[in-house]
Amino acid sequence: MGPQVPLSHRVPDLGALELLLAVARVGSLGGAARELGITQPAASSRIRAMEARLGVALVDRSPRGSTLTAQGALVTDWARRIVEAAEAFDAGAQALRGRRDSRLRVAASMTIAEYLLPGWLIALRAERPDTAVSLQAGNSATVAERVLLHEADLGFVEGLTVPEGLDSAVIARDRLVVAVAPAHPWARRTAPVPAAELAGTPLILREYGSGTRQVLDAALAPVGGLAVPLLELASTTAVKAAAVSGAGACVLSELALGEELASRRLVEVGVADARLERALRAVWPAGSRPAGPARDLLSLTRG
C-alpha cells in the first residue's frame, strides 16, 4: 500500500456539514440556524466560508427561503455519509472509554465490533441516553471467555458453535469471501477455485480462535484441512493490507471487504464445494436472560 494522503484543506469541518444538512432538511438558512442554536448571520457566514473553501456555490438564497444548488445537493449527499460515520465513530469511542459507572459491558468479535456494533450503539443511545456502555473487542474465543467469567453482560461472536455455559441467539448471517489483489493469478480465473486447492494453498488468515478461522477450518476439513498459513495476523485490517500488497489470498467476512472489493483493490474469488457461511450470534450466561440495557441492545440487533 502507498503512503496515506492527508486530507485536503478544502474539506469542511463537521459543524459546517451539519449546517448544510439542516438547510437541506428545513429549507431555510434561518430555520437551520435556529435548529443548531446559532444566529442567522453566523450560519450565513459559515455557508459562505464553506462555498469559498470548496470553490462551488451550495445554496441559492431568496426571500422565500434557501434551496440547494445542483452542486449543493451532491455535496449534501456526501456530507450525510461523513456525519453518519462521525456519529458511529463517536458512539464506538464512547463505549471504548469504559467509564467506571458503566451499566452495560459488551464484548464483541473484531468484525462485529467494527462493522455492526457502532450502528447498534447509536440506536441504543437514542433509546437510553443515560446508559454508559463499555466495549471489549477481541476474537470470538476471547469474547466467549469474558462472558463466561461474567466480565461482560452481553457478547457477540462469529464461530460455528456456542461454548458450553452460554445461551445464544442468531442476530445475522454472514459470508466469508476469498479475495486477492488484481495481479494475483486467481483474479483471472473464470471457474471457481476447488475447495481442495484452497485448502492446500497457504493463505493470509486471522489467528486461531477467531470466528473466521473456525468457519474456514470446518469448511475445509473434508478436503484435508487448511495448509500452514502464509501469514497469521491478529486483526482484519492487517489481513486486508497484506492481501492488497499482493502477498497472497485472504479469507475474511464479506462485511469487512466491502470497500476493498468496490474499489477493486481486492477481487473476490469463487470457491467450489465449500460452505463459507456462518451465523453471527449474541451470547450470554446460560440460565439467564439479558435484562435492562443488555435486553434493549439485543432487541436492536434483531431490528
Side-chain angles (χ1 to χ4, degrees), residues 204-268:
I204 305 167
L205 299 174
R206 284 286 308 278
E207 78 286 1
Y208 185 79
S210 73
T212 299
R213 185 71 172 269
Q214 292 174 27
V215 173
L216 192 58
D217 279 334
L220 298 183
V223 290
L226 279 168
V228 175
L230 176 67
L231 291 171
E232 197 172 37
L233 303 170
S235 79
T236 299
T237 301
V239 171
K240 289 193 291 186
V244 169
S245 75
C250 72
V251 183
L252 287 172
S253 164
E254 186 174 32
L255 293 168
L257 287 168
E259 182 181 338
E260 286 74 19
L261 294 176
S263 64
R264 291 196 61 81
R265 286 187 291 160
L266 290 174
V267 178
E268 180 176 350

Side-chain angles (χ1 to χ4, degrees), residues 63-82:
R64 296 183 302 278
S66 300
T67 58
L68 298 178
T69 64
Q71 297 98 321
L74 183 58
V75 170
T76 300
D77 285 339
W78 295 338
R80 186 172 291 107
R81 299 179 205 168
I82 294 171

